[in-house]
Structure formats: structure tokens, C-alpha cells
Amino acid sequence: MKEGYIAVTGGNVYYKIVGDGSKTPIILLHGGPGGTHVPFMHLENLGNDRQVIFYDQLGSGKSDRPNDHSLWNIDRFVEELGQIREALGLSKLHILGHSWGTMLAASYLLNQPEGVQSIIFSSPCLSVPQWEKDQALHLKQLPEEVQEILSRCEREGTTDTEEYKTAMKEFNKRFVYRLDSKPKEMESPYAKSNSIVYNTMWGPSEFCTTGNLKGYDVTERLKEIQLPAMFTCGRYDEATPQTVEGYSHCLPGSIFHVYEQSAHLPYLEEPAEYIGRVRSFLDHVEKQ
């Protein structure tokens, strides 16, 4: 393993490289915004085949956390990814983005960077308006009293209360993470999300979008990403199978897969299946 820091616009970001396999490296774009690389821990197993590059985006994990809200926008994160590639000499690579990381990946790829061999859109959000429609349907599946609390708190601007956070857990255990416990590594302080980045760019919860990503939609431009692609999600994912399959149709020849026992975090809920699918896809691309 190799780790260190890279200077990017706004500060320094932490990176970790695992593996010494000779195949093309893969870089992982974590969820959030404001999340960390820690939940990707099982993907270290891909290191048998290739280098796996983990990094904490600026503002999260082991990276710097500058108190400058102007840094929390998608264009700067796209610039950051390019700076990391340059610093690590990644002339060729695969990209895997998860959730918010798929927004970052899509925006980066629409600039047509050279050397990218493939893209994996894991539980993608590529249209915030569509995401909001899907979550509205998910909310209707919650107990009526929970729906009432969530609606009232959002209406009154009290989404920072314990009442709202408790009600939000009912949504999360159905559509975000369905297992009873998380790996012990998730208890690390470095695994904790940065709520300031999340609120600035997204909003108070997965289903209430008020940040600067509201209105983001690259659906009509996905056809410009002329790369081998795989779209995946969980059966119970907030990124619904119907929506994700629709995205896959925008990229002819792409692969679509549903993890049958997962919600939004299949790399934690079904790690063996997830790693197997990723490895198989990358091998297929490289054989072509």
C-alpha cells in the first residue's frame, strides 16, 4: 500500500493506492457529497489484478477541510479529479463512481479526457429531478406518522432536529442500507461524512434536495460518453432499478445489473457479488 497527499485547488487531498497487479488501474469516486473512501474498503480485493486508487475528496475523511463554502461545487471537484490523475501519472485508468460519485464521473467524462478505459456507474444519480420523483414514491412507503414528521420539518425548516433525524432513519433502513450493522471500519472518525459539504451541495437528506446540485441532469448528454460502461444498483436502492436501467439505454452496449439483496450500498451489503461483477466487467473491457 502507498498513501500520501496531493495538492489540489483549495487544499490537500488524501489518497491511498492498494495492489500491484499489472492491469489498468481503477480510481474510485466515493459518494456524498462529503463522504469518504472508507466504505469502499472491500474493493481493496481488486488489487490482485491492478492498482486501486482510493481518495477522500477535499473536505472529507483524511483530506483538508477548508472553511470556504465556495469550494463546494461540482466544477471544482471535476478539476480536483484531473489534478489527482496528473499527480499520480494515471495516463490510462478505469473509473468507478458511486452515487454522488457518478455525478462527478459523468461531469468529468463529458469533458472528453483522454485515457479513460471504462466507467462504472454504481447506484447513479444522473438526474436530480428524476431522483426527487423516485424518492417521493419511496417516502409514500413509510408509515404515515414518519411521513408527517419529515414533511413538517422540511416545511418548517427544522431538519436539524433529532425528530427529523430519527424519522430519516426509517427511510435509510429501507432504501440506503438494509443490514443490521455496519463493518467496524465505519466507526472510524475518518469515515464520518462532512455535513457542511453535503448540505451545501445536496441538502438536509437524501430525499430533500436544496443545494447547488438541485436541477443537475445529464441524461440527454450521456450518449456523449462513448466508453464501455456498466450501470448497477440494488433491488431496494434509492437509485431505482427502473431509473438506472433507463440510464443504461442512453449508452448503447452498456451493461446493467441489479444486486438482489442490496439497497444503496451493495459494496457493503453484498461485497463478494459486487467485487465479482466489477472484476468481470473490467476483464471483459480489457479483453476487447
Side-chain angles (χ1 to χ4, degrees):
M1 185 188 78
K2 176 183 177 182
E3 60 183 346
Y5 287 87
I6 296 170
V8 301
T9 300
N12 297 300
V13 299
Y14 169 82
Y15 75 92
K16 178 176 73 173
I17 301 176
V18 175
D20 55 5
S22 61
K23 296 180 180 179
T24 303
I26 183 170
I27 193 167
L28 310 179
L29 313 184
H30 63 67
T36 79
H37 80 279
V38 176
F40 278 145
M41 56 198 169
H42 294 302
L43 273 71
E44 291 186 4
N45 289 307
L46 295 172
N48 294 334
D49 300 329
R50 66 192 75 246
Q51 289 187 328
V52 185
I53 296 96
F54 303 79
Y55 77 98
D56 290 328
Q57 296 157 23
L58 190 69
S60 66
K62 295 183 178 181
S63 295
D64 288 351
R65 300 190 175 210
N67 187 25
D68 181 356
H69 290 200
S70 70
L71 296 169
W72 313 136
N73 64 82
I74 194 166
D75 290 340
R76 197 214 60 81
F77 282 105
V78 167
E79 181 184 20
E80 174 183 281
L81 177 55
Q83 291 167 331
I84 291 169
R85 275 195 71 183
E86 182 176 2
L88 296 179
L90 298 172
S91 58
K92 291 185 178 181
L93 80 168
H94 301 281
I95 296 176
L96 184 155
H98 177 76
S99 195
W100 137 253
T102 66
M103 304 170 84
L104 171 56
S107 296
Y108 177 74
L109 293 175
L110 287 172
N111 292 329
Q112 304 300 326
E114 296 182 355
V116 181
Q117 305 297 294
S118 75
I119 173 64
I120 298 173
F121 291 106
S122 172
S123 299
C125 176
L126 300 172
S127 167
V128 172
Q130 181 60 49
W131 181 278
E132 291 173 326
K133 291 177 183 177
D134 290 339
Q135 302 334 305
L137 295 175
H138 285 151
L139 286 169
K140 290 181 179 179
Q141 299 178 39
L142 302 181
E144 288 188 9
E145 62 271 21
V146 174
Q147 294 184 51
E148 191 280 326
I149 292 171
L150 294 171
S151 177
R152 172 170 49 79
C153 290
E154 289 168 9
R155 187 172 60 252
E156 297 175 353
T158 55
T159 55
D160 58 347
T161 62
E162 287 303 315
E163 180 184 36
Y164 184 81
K165 293 175 182 177
T166 298
M168 195 167 62
K169 291 178 181 178
E170 291 295 322
F171 177 93
N172 291 342
K173 72 182 183 181
R174 288 170 170 80
F175 307 112
V176 179
Y177 184 76
R178 293 169 62 86
L179 301 184
D180 293 332
S181 62
K182 289 185 178 181
K184 64 181 185 302
E185 289 87 348
M186 295 296 292
E187 299 174 6
S188 163
Y190 295 118
K192 185 175 176 58
S193 297
N194 186 330
S195 60
I196 295 175
V197 179
Y198 184 81
N199 285 322
T200 301
M201 296 185 69
W202 186 260
S205 71
E206 293 292 273
F207 43 81
C208 183
T209 315
T210 57
N212 58 42
L213 287 172
K214 190 174 181 67
Y216 179 93
D217 190 340
V218 294
T219 309
E220 295 301 318
R221 297 192 62 194
L222 286 177
K223 59 181 178 292
E224 299 175 30
I225 302 174
Q226 298 182 1
L227 293 171
M230 180 166 71
F231 293 79
T232 70
C233 64
R235 175 59 64 191
Y236 309 98
D237 208 323
E238 48 189 345
T240 68
Q242 181 179 4
T243 291
V244 176
E245 184 175 16
Y247 293 149
S248 73
H249 293 325
C250 297
L251 275 175
S254 64
I255 295 171
F256 169 65
H257 179 73
V258 177
Y259 298 101
E260 293 294 339
Q261 305 303 319
S262 295
H264 193 55
L265 304 177
Y267 44 77
L268 290 178
E269 296 169 284
E270 295 180 77
E273 172 72 6
Y274 190 91
I275 293 165
R277 289 284 172 176
V278 170
R279 177 177 280 123
S280 176
F281 170 72
L282 298 177
D283 287 345
H284 172 75
V285 170
E286 291 171 354
K287 287 177 182 177
Q288 298 300 310

